[in-house]
Amino acid sequence: MNASYEFGILGPLVVTRDGRNMSLGAAQLRTLLAALLLDAGRVVPVDALVDRLWGECPPRGARNAVQNYVLRLRRALGPEVVRTDRRGYALDTEGGHRLDADRFASLTREGAAALDADRPERALELLGEALALWRGEPLADLEPERFRDVVPVLCEQRLAAEESWIDAAIRRGRPADALPELRRLTGLHPLRERFWAQRMLALYQCGRQGEALASYREISVLLAEELGVDPGTELKALHQRMVMAAPDLAPAVPRTGTGSAVSAAPAVPPPGPGRSGNLPAETTSFIGREKELAEAERLLGLSRLVTFTGVGGVGKTRLALRTARRVAAAFPDGAWLVDLAAVADPALVERAVAESLGLRDQSTRSATDTVADHLRARRPLLVLDNCEHLVDAAATLVLRLLRAAPDLRVLATSRERLGVPGEHLLLVPCLTLREERGGGACEAVRLLYDRAAACAVARRTGEGDGESAAELCRRLDGIPLAIELAAVRLSSLSVEEVLERLEDRFRLLSAPRHLSHGPAGWPVALDGPGPGGVPGQASGLVPGQAPGRAPVLAPGRYLQTLRGVMDWSHGLCTPGERLLWARLSVFVGCFDLRAAEAVCADEAGRPESCEAAEGIAREDVLDLIDGLVHKSVVTVEPAVSPGRHGGATRYRLLETIRQYGTDRLRAAGSSTGLLVRHCEYYRALTASAAAEWCGPDEAGWLERLRRELPNIRSALDFCRVSPGLAPTGAAIVVDLTRTRCWFFGSTLGEARHWIDSLSPLVDPGLGELTVMVPVMKAFVAIIQGDHSAAEAHLAECRAVAPGTPRPAPVVYIEGVYALLVPGEPASIAQLASARGEFIAAGRTGDAHMATMFWAMAAAFLGDRAEARLACDTYVAEAESAGAEWARTWAQWCTGLTELLHGEPRRGLAPLCDALVRQRALDDNWGPAWTLETLAWTLGALGHHDRAAVVLGAAHRYRQVTGARITELRPFGTLHARTRALVQEHMAAGAYAGAWERGATAEDSIALALGIAHEVRRPTDR
């Protein structure tokens, strides 16, 4: 029986035979197959195949090579699929073989016909099925230049189908269903007026007339800035009709096939890549909770905000994630998890949400505005996890987002309600303790058996101890965390022995809490957890909770039960392990062994524990951590990258366990001392990073600092509220800015938040720090394009360092300002002077930054000799230092210098090298500047169409990172000059299409590299 094949080109090339994926191996073989599929059923001449495989530079014997590839393809697919003809070769799609592009074309034709016949509901179904065939960019895994004549055509057909789908949704009376897709499409294709017209109409018919008119103003400004034209006839006419409130713009009433009105249930939106959300995959089985899952789904259908409340450890997070997965299909813009456990500062809640959504905005607007604008016309589900210590901040943000985004749903987990109007609560109960109907085990026992089996100890939970297992779960009150900890202990104890030990160790579970004491002499805090669930907090308030707020408490027995389980696990540890557990609680998120040793080990002869007279020796920390790992107190996160800074194993305390350790630390009176150590460690860490900046470990430091940001934020927050520690926090922020960590992670707005928060608390007269704080404030404001703030901070720099000569940092920031704001040639001498002083002082990293801006100033504002000298110096220093991030900017500077003072074509190679290196470093900041400079170079070389594409790609990177390139004088001047030059040589429509191709490319860097390679090829080969 002949095999049946399905071929896919609407995405990476795929081949399935009888439903199973096939691998064709070599790229040229897949390119050949793609070439045949594009003309499926028709003979493709050999010369055409040669051109597809090798372009303008085929090798000798290319025709014979094609014949060999065809033979290999026929062996893989069969001679009946690949036919030989005297004119060439053909791929047969008859006989049960199918091509997704053919199916797409057929469905879109049928959908268009249904729309023409005024059957919008049928058109929605057909067009939705057609768009579901797309898996990404056509032939995305093959070399783009080989199919540059085909891919744009296919993409245009997809856009036309999306236009028709949106028309059908609006005509069906469901404009709200089209809004999320229109928001995405106008973002990806900002110059395509048809999408803007549809967006305006959909907003208008949803009763959002103000937003519809605002959309017209937005596209008008964009067309004027990018193309220098006014909106087209369709947009103008639609706008005029909206202003006049034309009656024919009223929404259509949805009808069933019998003509009766129906409710506007959500239609299935056309799928798109990258919109599924960020929910983590489950790593263990999910037990029970059928009733709670059904109730959660019901509540999400009734309310836009549902909050899961309950005791820590009861499974709120796990239930929320499972609920989100079950309802994810109803949210075309994805389900997104935001974990607030590691966020201590209420002011950073909005940034945590932006970070989880992948939003990176370096502008001066607030993160709340960025998130609200992103969600405004989308239909996502936002899962806010662990809100209890940030209730007021979370509630304020949720209320703002719900008002801004009418299709947003929020699922929150907290130990108390958020108190937002319209909020629905679901108290998450413990697992069931009664047998299921039919005699099956209850949820709690099923969880115990499952987790014990995962530990390879199923023999200890066999049929003979069913009653004991049920009793154990009952005594643990059915709390999942307690049961899972008990399951771990079944590796060394039977169920009966665990029960006996529980009885001996934890009278807390049966005695009144105010009469109970924990093991090993640790007193149980008489006030217990505070309203937010933070143990031992005397004030009863958690950070971010306003005084006087009426908190919602979980039932006291839940808290006692969880504390009993924690006490039990605590009692099974050695004295050293217990002490380390408490001390490790100062870490937020992950930490490594070096951090644990530095913060938790005692100095020789100075123990700080009232429990263990010996304290903790540095050499014992590893063994103690190992013991805590085996007792399931500490979780191990394996190293994911090699290198001095990137390969260390990371550890984590689960949040409930960390809070328990925090309570113990406070009870022992050691909390403040350990938090000060924690701050001092991260002060030393950032200082080391700054000292080693522009060295061989530069890239490793950047990666490490990015992973350490949760702990650094915690340290900064403690410094902010602790008398006398503000200088430590300010020094941390300054050193992070000196290492460019904020730029590397696209979190420049956070740098400004911290330095603005800490700088008023720093006393004058602290020497260099007094100077560096306003210098870095000015630097951040300059890069953000906030010129007025930069001028104010520059005046502050001069005030703290009056007279002459001024300190090198002040001379440096004056030079940066003179270069980037007014564009003054005097900046060249200022930056050269600062560089010399930094070198003399041995400040390598600062000298590197001064050298970079010196070379930049000489290129933009100096003569040829100055530019060459500065550029050569910068390249030599970056290479000799072995600093990978510095190399990327040295290559960029080389390309800029060639463009302005040499041969622009010679600048293509270093610019491409910079892009490749930036991608390898996962640098999101650098490509925005490199792509912009590459576009200038292409324009100067006369490749106007290609320059337009790269201008679009650079625009997209600016939008992603918030880089305000065009607001910095020399960059803005060259940007405007290049755009005018390109538009002068291209028709408006051609420019718009080329620009949009770059702005909407899934991989802007790969596209730009391919274009540069094509330009370089004729002379470089």
Side-chain angles (χ1 to χ4, degrees):
M1 182 177 180
N2 291 335
S4 175
Y5 290 93
E6 292 188 10
F7 302 99
I9 63 172
L10 303 181
L13 179 66
V14 294
V15 182
T16 62
R17 178 167 54 196
D18 296 331
R20 296 185 177 182
N21 286 334
M22 289 184 61
S23 175
L24 295 178
Q28 290 291 65
L29 194 62
R30 290 183 286 115
T31 301
L32 173 67
L33 175 58
L36 293 172
L37 287 170
L38 292 173
D39 289 292
R42 296 187 294 271
V43 175
V44 182
V46 174
D47 289 341
L49 294 175
V50 169
D51 186 62
R52 284 283 186 210
L53 290 169
W54 293 286
E56 299 176 359
C57 303
R60 292 183 180 179
R63 296 175 66 87
N64 291 334
V66 168
Q67 185 177 8
N68 290 332
Y69 282 128
V70 169
L71 289 174
R72 291 169 60 184
L73 193 60
R74 295 185 71 182
R75 291 193 202 103
L77 302 180
E80 72 282 357
V81 179
V82 182
R83 295 185 291 104
T84 301
D85 185 271
R86 61 182 179 81
R87 297 165 295 165
Y89 303 96
L91 191 140
D92 189 2
T93 54
E94 302 296 329
H97 310 316
R98 295 193 299 176
L99 175 63
D100 60 355
D102 291 344
R103 178 65 176 157
F104 172 76
S106 175
L107 288 168
T108 52
R109 284 194 300 270
E110 294 179 37
L115 199 56
D116 291 341
D118 198 22
R119 299 171 58 202
E121 187 168 7
R122 177 59 177 163
L124 273 175
E125 179 183 347
L126 292 167
L127 293 166
E129 184 180 350
L131 290 166
L133 295 170
W134 284 79
R135 296 167 287 107
E137 284 289 312
L139 303 171
D141 55 332
L142 301 178
E143 188 175 345
E145 294 305 315
R146 298 288 172 258
F147 300 95
R148 62 180 303 181
D149 59 324
V150 175
V151 170
V153 174
L154 290 172
C155 290
E156 181 60 33
Q157 292 172 0
R158 179 184 186 180
L159 293 177
E162 288 180 313
E163 286 180 354
S164 298
W165 183 90
I166 292 165
D167 280 341
I170 293 174
R171 289 170 58 178
R172 181 69 179 86
R174 293 173 173 171
D177 293 337
L179 278 176
E181 190 66 13
L182 282 167
R183 178 56 185 265
R184 181 182 71 87
L185 289 168
T186 52
L188 290 175
H189 308 276
L191 301 180
R192 194 178 181 99
E193 295 187 40
R194 177 62 179 149
F195 285 143
W196 284 96
Q198 291 177 316
R199 180 176 171 182
M200 289 169 60
L201 182 58
L203 285 167
Y204 189 93
Q205 293 193 353
C206 286
R208 297 157 65 178
Q209 288 86 351
E211 292 179 57
L213 296 175
S215 293
Y216 180 78
R217 292 193 295 270
E218 184 178 351
I219 180 57
S220 298
V221 171
L222 188 60
L223 289 170
E225 288 182 349
E226 295 298 336
L227 303 180
V229 299
D230 294 326
T233 303
E234 180 186 8
L235 274 175
K236 286 183 177 179
L238 179 60
H239 176 253
Q240 185 63 29
R241 290 164 63 211
M242 287 181 176
V243 172
M244 302 297 294
D248 62 314
L249 294 181
V253 179
R255 297 278 171 181
T256 64
T258 60
S260 61
V262 296
S263 62
V268 178
R275 296 191 296 140
S276 60
N278 68 342
L279 298 181
E282 293 183 334
T283 58
T284 58
S285 56
F286 188 88
I287 305 296
R289 301 291 199 190
E290 288 81 9
K291 180 180 178 181
E292 289 78 19
L293 285 168
E295 177 65 6
E297 291 186 49
R298 186 187 72 83
L299 290 177
L300 279 172
L302 295 175
S303 172
R304 297 179 59 210
L305 170 61
V306 176
T307 302
F308 289 177
T309 62
V311 66
V314 80
K316 299 185 293 294
T317 297
R318 190 67 190 275
L319 181 62
L321 291 175
R322 173 52 71 101
T323 301
R325 289 189 189 90
R326 285 177 53 144
V327 303
F331 296 91
D333 292 295
W336 300 87
L337 171 65
V338 182
D339 187 0
L340 298 178
V343 179
D345 186 351
L348 295 181
V349 171
E350 59 190 37
R351 294 195 176 277
V353 176
E355 191 170 289
S356 295
L357 291 172
L359 305 180
R360 290 170 171 171
D361 190 344
Q362 303 285 49
S363 68
T364 56
R365 65 176 179 168
S366 70
T368 300
D369 290 338
T370 301
V371 174
D373 188 56
H374 174 77
L375 298 177
R376 194 176 306 279
R378 288 180 163 86
R379 191 196 302 163
L381 173 66
L382 203 60
V383 182
L384 293 180
D385 195 26
N386 296 305
C387 298
E388 53 268 5
H389 61 301
L390 300 161
V391 169
D392 287 342
T396 301
L397 178 63
V398 167
L399 183 59
R400 167 71 188 281
L401 296 182
L402 290 175
R403 287 174 173 172
D407 294 320
L408 170 68
R409 291 287 190 277
V410 177
L411 177 57
T413 73
S414 176
R415 296 185 189 180
E416 66 175 294
R417 66 187 302 162
L418 299 186
V420 173
E423 178 185 26
H424 278 55
L425 299 181
L426 175 60
L427 177 62
V428 179
C430 299
L431 297 175
T432 60
L433 296 169
R434 295 183 179 180
E435 289 185 354
E436 304 287 342
R437 291 182 180 179
C442 63
E443 290 177 348
V445 171
R446 285 159 52 198
L447 178 66
L448 179 70
Y449 285 173
D450 181 87
R451 298 301 188 259
C455 298
V457 291
R459 63 180 181 84
R460 296 187 179 275
T461 54
E463 297 179 357
D465 58 9
E467 292 184 5
S468 299
E471 175 66 11
L472 175 60
C473 292
R474 186 186 68 79
R475 296 284 297 279
L476 296 178
D477 234 0
I479 296 179
L481 176 60
I483 294 170
E484 292 188 340
L485 289 170
V488 173
R489 297 304 167 196
L490 292 176
S491 61
S492 55
L493 299 171
S494 68
V495 176
E496 290 79 8
E497 288 172 323
V498 171
L499 270 171
E500 182 181 354
R501 190 173 182 85
L502 184 63
E503 180 67 29
D504 292 340
R505 290 286 186 176
F506 307 116
R507 300 185 185 278
L508 173 66
L509 295 174
S510 57
R513 185 168 65 179
H514 67 279
L515 298 177
S516 301
H517 288 77
W522 284 86
V524 176
L526 296 182
D527 60 346
V534 180
Q537 188 160 307
S539 69
L541 291 175
V542 294
Q545 180 176 311
R549 180 187 177 96
V552 178
L553 294 178
R557 68 188 188 93
Y558 291 164
L559 296 172
Q560 292 173 9
T561 300
L562 184 59
R563 177 167 290 277
V565 173
M566 289 291 98
D567 283 341
W568 167 57
S569 184
H570 190 262
L572 294 176
C573 297
T574 66
E577 289 169 349
R578 291 198 292 267
L579 181 58
L580 183 61
W581 179 350
R583 293 184 176 184
L584 288 176
S585 68
V586 299
F587 290 103
V588 177
C590 297
F591 57 91
D592 59 21
L593 180 60
R594 288 170 294 188
E597 290 173 336
V599 175
C600 300
D602 291 304
E603 298 179 13
R606 295 184 59 188
E608 294 189 12
S609 169
C610 60
E611 180 193 16
E614 303 81 10
I616 298 176
R618 177 179 289 267
E619 57 269 22
D620 292 335
V621 172
L622 176 58
D623 289 337
L624 293 174
I625 286 182
D626 188 58
L628 292 173
V629 169
H630 284 291
K631 292 179 173 67
S632 296
V633 174
V634 171
T635 301
V636 179
E637 297 191 354
V640 295
S641 58
R644 175 185 167 191
H645 299 288
T649 299
R650 309 282 292 175
Y651 305 95
R652 179 191 294 271
L653 291 179
L654 297 179
E655 184 59 21
T656 301
I657 295 174
R658 189 181 77 84
Q659 290 184 8
Y660 180 88
T662 299
D663 187 28
R664 293 295 182 184
L665 197 63
R666 289 171 177 165
S670 302
S671 178
T672 300
L674 264 294
L675 288 170
V676 170
R677 282 198 205 177
H678 181 266
C679 292
E680 291 173 346
Y681 173 76
Y682 285 101
R683 168 70 189 101
L685 181 75
T686 54
S688 297
E692 296 185 29
W693 183 247
C694 194
D697 291 323
E698 181 183 63
W701 272 116
L702 285 168
E703 183 61 29
R704 183 178 182 187
L705 291 173
R706 183 157 57 179
R707 288 200 307 270
E708 294 287 5
L709 274 179
N711 276 300
I712 291 172
R713 288 166 178 153
S714 177
L716 289 172
D717 192 63
F718 184 71
C719 290
R720 183 174 57 84
V721 298
S722 301
L725 284 180
T728 299
I732 291 174
V733 180
V734 165
D735 282 337
L736 284 178
T737 310
R738 291 169 67 195
T739 63
R740 302 312 182 254
C741 174
W742 305 115
F743 297 88
F744 189 72
S746 295
T747 53
L748 193 57
E750 184 178 349
R752 190 165 184 177
H753 161 78
W754 285 118
I755 204 163
D756 286 347
S757 299
L758 290 162
S759 60
L761 308 175
V762 177
D763 293 330
L766 293 179
E768 183 181 349
L769 184 62
T770 305
V771 175
M772 290 302 297
V773 167
V775 165
M776 290 306 169
K777 289 168 67 175
F779 183 79
V780 171
I782 291 170
I783 301 302
Q784 284 190 316
D786 190 349
H787 297 163
S788 60
E791 291 171 0
H793 296 320
L794 202 60
E796 186 182 351
C797 294
R798 293 164 180 154
V800 299
T804 55
R806 290 193 175 119
V810 176
V811 177
Y812 163 75
I813 199 60
E814 288 178 329
V816 172
Y817 178 86
L819 163 65
L820 297 180
V821 181
E824 296 174 350
S827 61
I828 301 174
Q830 289 174 307
L831 291 164
S833 174
R835 171 181 176 269
E837 292 187 45
F838 283 140
I839 292 174
R843 295 170 59 163
T844 306
D846 294 331
H848 160 72
M849 295 308 300
T851 304
M852 183 183 78
F853 281 104
W854 172 49
M856 192 187 303
F860 278 124
L861 306 171
D863 57 30
R864 179 185 177 89
E866 288 177 312
R868 288 291 186 190
L869 173 62
C871 179
D872 292 345
T873 302
Y874 183 30
V875 171
E877 288 184 2
E879 288 297 327
S880 64
E884 189 58 24
W885 195 74
R887 281 190 183 116
T888 68
W889 283 95
Q891 292 296 90
W892 170 83
C893 193
T894 301
L896 178 68
T897 303
E898 288 292 348
L899 169 65
L900 299 177
H901 299 282
E903 171 52 56
R905 184 177 296 278
R906 288 202 300 266
L908 292 173
L911 289 173
C912 290
D913 184 65
L915 280 175
V916 171
R917 291 174 184 269
Q918 286 162 348
R919 163 172 279 182
L921 286 171
D922 193 23
D923 179 4
N924 293 300
W925 179 257
W929 308 77
T930 308
L931 287 169
E932 181 71 25
T933 310
L934 180 60
W936 302 343
T937 303
L938 292 169
L941 291 172
H943 297 281
H944 304 115
D945 56 338
R946 295 179 173 97
V949 174
V950 181
L951 279 173
H955 171 82
R956 182 177 184 182
Y957 253 90
R958 291 201 303 274
Q959 295 298 106
V960 169
T961 62
R964 309 300 290 270
I965 296 175
T966 58
E967 296 183 22
L968 304 177
R969 176 63 64 85
F971 291 89
T973 299
L974 275 180
H975 173 82
R977 183 185 305 167
T978 300
R979 186 180 66 185
L981 174 68
V982 171
Q983 290 178 335
E984 181 182 348
H985 288 83
M986 295 181 69
Y991 173 78
W995 188 91
E996 186 169 339
R997 180 189 170 202
T1000 59
E1002 290 191 2
D1003 190 337
S1004 302
I1005 292 179
L1007 175 63
L1009 289 173
I1011 289 173
H1013 176 74
E1014 182 180 347
V1015 172
R1016 293 168 55 197
R1017 185 169 55 195
T1019 59
D1020 293 352
R1021 289 189 174 182

